[in-house]
Amino acid sequence: MRKPADLDEFDLAILEILQKDSTVPQREIGERVNLSAPAVQRRIKRMQQSGVIQANIAVVDPAAVGLPITIVVEVHIANERYDLINAIKRSFLEAPEVQQCYCVTGEADFVLIIVVPSMSAYEEVARRLFYDNPNVTKFKSLVTMDRVKVGLSVPLSLD
């Protein structure tokens, strides 16, 4: 487990801005948080190198690119042997349809967020990831009706 990063109020303010829009120029970020652009640049670089900032990405609307169906899947496995857990994690990591994968406690062992163009496409994904995997005992699919809130922003306390 990683220890929390040593972030000050300037770092948190910079992160707040970048989480909303990572294309904001460093000069503008500096004006908003009362730092010079080079100071902002140094802080961003440090947070990238330390892993606080993991990526700068574009968030794409799945429906706009032909993937209108989002499915939440609970996966139950038979054997929790280390090598078998790693194998199933790898299969989920390699599946392009899997947007997110969580290893969880409780009744299910994994929760996946999957995007697909159609239910027949999901049937193929389910066959490949679940039916064909002898370590999967069952899975439960929850087809979403509406994407109410989707994001990866982390709540930051500036108090």
Side-chain angles (χ1 to χ4, degrees), residues 66-121:
L67 300 166
I69 300 173
T70 300
I71 301 172
V72 179
V73 184
E74 295 179 357
V75 181
H76 302 254
I77 61 173
N79 191 319
E80 295 183 2
R81 241 179 41 212
Y82 188 74
D83 59 327
L84 296 175
I85 291 274
N86 283 338
I88 201 163
K89 284 180 182 180
R90 207 169 24 261
S91 74
F92 296 154
L93 278 167
E94 293 170 357
E97 304 87 356
V98 176
Q99 272 194 320
Q100 297 177 46
C101 172
Y102 300 94
C103 187
V104 298
T105 62
E107 286 187 38
D109 297 296
F110 291 91
V111 174
L112 309 177
I113 308 296
I114 294 176
V115 292
V116 289
S118 64
M119 288 308 291
S120 61

Side-chain angles (χ1 to χ4, degrees), residues 38 58 60 74 86 92 107 127-128 136 153:
V60 177
E74 295 179 357
N86 283 338
F92 296 154
E107 286 187 38
R127 188 176 311 109
R128 190 175 78 240
V136 174
S153 294

Side-chain angles (χ1 to χ4, degrees), residues 21-52:
D21 181 359
S22 68
T23 66
V24 175
Q26 293 175 359
R27 173 193 46 74
E28 185 179 329
I29 294 172
E31 290 170 3
R32 289 186 183 168
V33 301
N34 284 331
L35 287 173
S36 68
V40 169
Q41 181 181 28
R42 283 191 301 276
R43 286 170 178 271
I44 291 173
K45 184 176 182 179
R46 178 179 44 80
M47 290 188 283
Q48 289 170 329
Q49 290 173 337
S50 70
V52 171

Side-chain angles (χ1 to χ4, degrees), residues 124-144:
E124 188 278 319
V125 170
R127 188 176 311 109
R128 190 175 78 240
L129 294 179
F130 313 131
Y131 291 123
D132 291 348
N133 188 322
N135 197 28
V136 174
T137 57
K138 71 177 183 175
F139 66 97
K140 177 180 175 182
S141 304
L142 305 163
V143 180
T144 64

